[in-house]
Amino acid sequence: MHILITVLVCFFAGMGAGLGTGFAGMSAAAVISPMLITFLGMDPYLAVGIALSSDVLASAVSAYTYGKNKNLDIRNGLIMMASVLAFTVVGSYIASIVPSATMGSFSVVMLGVKFIVRPVMTTKEAMQSVSAKKRAVQSVVCGVIVGFICGFVGAGGGMMMLLILTSVLGYELKTAVGTSVFIMAFTALTGAVSHFAIGGAPDWTVFALCVVFTLLWARIAAVFANKAAPK
């Protein structure tokens, strides 16, 4: 009975995380961690580690699918990723010495409001009209902001990154999602390694189930998202 409950929890957690990652670039940690903690009574720190591990392959396969359909900006994605990783460390350090208030799901709420009030109507042609130098500078600045907030508040960067890519950098929606999951694959790997290095080994059964289910649903979602409208 216990193993059946474990499989069911991991299946639905992986499904929610995979669909969110493949369709909207959402971090798997937003779905998997709460479910593992609530229904399996798992240690929160290790639950986040498993969620981040699930994010690695799910984000990577989603990024591959978006890239295959020419909906990925690798060059500026790498630039932003470098500043995100660097300032996540800076934010984490400052958070450890300065009391901070929790922002909760501010970025997710703002993303929803933004899409309702001002839907993403940018085309690839308009997006590509921005100079490479300006785009690179914007990527660094936005990466600094996302990384610092992630490190300081502990909020995931997936939806926040999507908000910035569409609102500030003017990305077309599919390219924004593709670039977001590309960056997340590396940031999740960094986070997963650090969590297991500090917190110890996870429950390998739960780990494997979550990784497989999240990967499967992320692949399905990414394929459908890229076929949803003409490229």
Side-chain angles (χ1 to χ4, degrees), residues 75-76 79-80 131-141:
R75 180 179 179 276
N76 290 297
I79 294 172
M80 182 180 284
S131 71
K133 183 178 179 181
K134 181 180 179 181
R135 181 78 75 199
V137 172
Q138 288 177 322
S139 296
V140 171
V141 173

Side-chain angles (χ1 to χ4, degrees), residues 1-10 40 203 205-206 209:
M1 186 66 182
H2 175 72
I3 188 64
L4 178 60
I5 292 174
T6 299
V7 172
L8 287 174
V9 169
C10 292
L40 299 182
D203 180 319
T205 300
V206 174
L209 289 171

Side-chain angles (χ1 to χ4, degrees), residues 148-174:
F148 183 82
I149 292 175
C150 287
F152 189 77
V153 182
M159 299 301 277
M160 192 187 307
M161 222 177 300
L162 186 60
L163 175 64
I164 286 180
L165 287 170
T166 53
S167 301
V168 182
L169 273 68
Y171 274 60
E172 175 266 339
L173 186 56
K174 286 187 182 180

Side-chain angles (χ1 to χ4, degrees), residues 80-93 139-157 160-161 164 183 187:
M80 182 180 284
M81 180 179 69
S83 55
V84 167
L85 291 176
F87 277 82
T88 295
V89 175
V90 173
S92 296
Y93 173 72
S139 296
V140 171
V141 173
C142 291
V144 167
I145 295 170
V146 172
F148 183 82
I149 292 175
C150 287
F152 189 77
V153 182
M160 192 187 307
M161 222 177 300
I164 286 180
I183 296 171
T187 54

Side-chain angles (χ1 to χ4, degrees), residues 32-210:
I32 293 178
S33 301
M35 290 194 69
L36 296 184
I37 295 167
T38 302
F39 297 107
L40 299 182
M42 185 170 289
D43 175 74
Y45 197 80
L46 290 179
V48 172
I50 289 176
L52 289 170
S53 299
S54 302
D55 227 347
V56 177
L57 290 180
S59 294
V61 76
S62 296
Y64 170 78
T65 304
Y66 277 89
K68 190 177 178 182
N69 288 273
K70 302 188 184 337
N71 291 314
L72 171 61
D73 184 359
I74 294 180
R75 180 179 179 276
N76 290 297
L78 287 170
I79 294 172
M80 182 180 284
M81 180 179 69
S83 55
V84 167
L85 291 176
F87 277 82
T88 295
V89 175
V90 173
S92 296
Y93 173 72
I94 293 178
S96 69
I97 58 176
V98 178
S100 61
T102 301
M103 285 177 65
S105 56
F106 173 77
S107 62
V108 178
V109 172
M110 288 305 294
L111 181 70
V113 171
K114 189 267 179 189
F115 282 169
I116 293 170
V117 175
R118 187 184 173 192
V120 179
M121 303 299 290
T122 308
T123 62
K124 284 190 178 181
E125 290 73 21
M127 187 187 88
Q128 291 166 357
S129 66
V130 179
S131 71
K133 183 178 179 181
K134 181 180 179 181
R135 181 78 75 199
V137 172
Q138 288 177 322
S139 296
V140 171
V141 173
C142 291
V144 167
I145 295 170
V146 172
F148 183 82
I149 292 175
C150 287
F152 189 77
V153 182
M159 299 301 277
M160 192 187 307
M161 222 177 300
L162 186 60
L163 175 64
I164 286 180
L165 287 170
T166 53
S167 301
V168 182
L169 273 68
Y171 274 60
E172 175 266 339
L173 186 56
K174 286 187 182 180
T175 306
V177 174
T179 305
S180 176
V181 291
F182 172 74
I183 296 171
M184 279 204 310
F186 293 92
T187 54
L189 177 61
T190 303
V193 170
S194 65
H195 271 70
F196 293 146
I198 296 172
D203 180 319
W204 292 111
T205 300
V206 174
F207 174 92
L209 289 171
C210 285

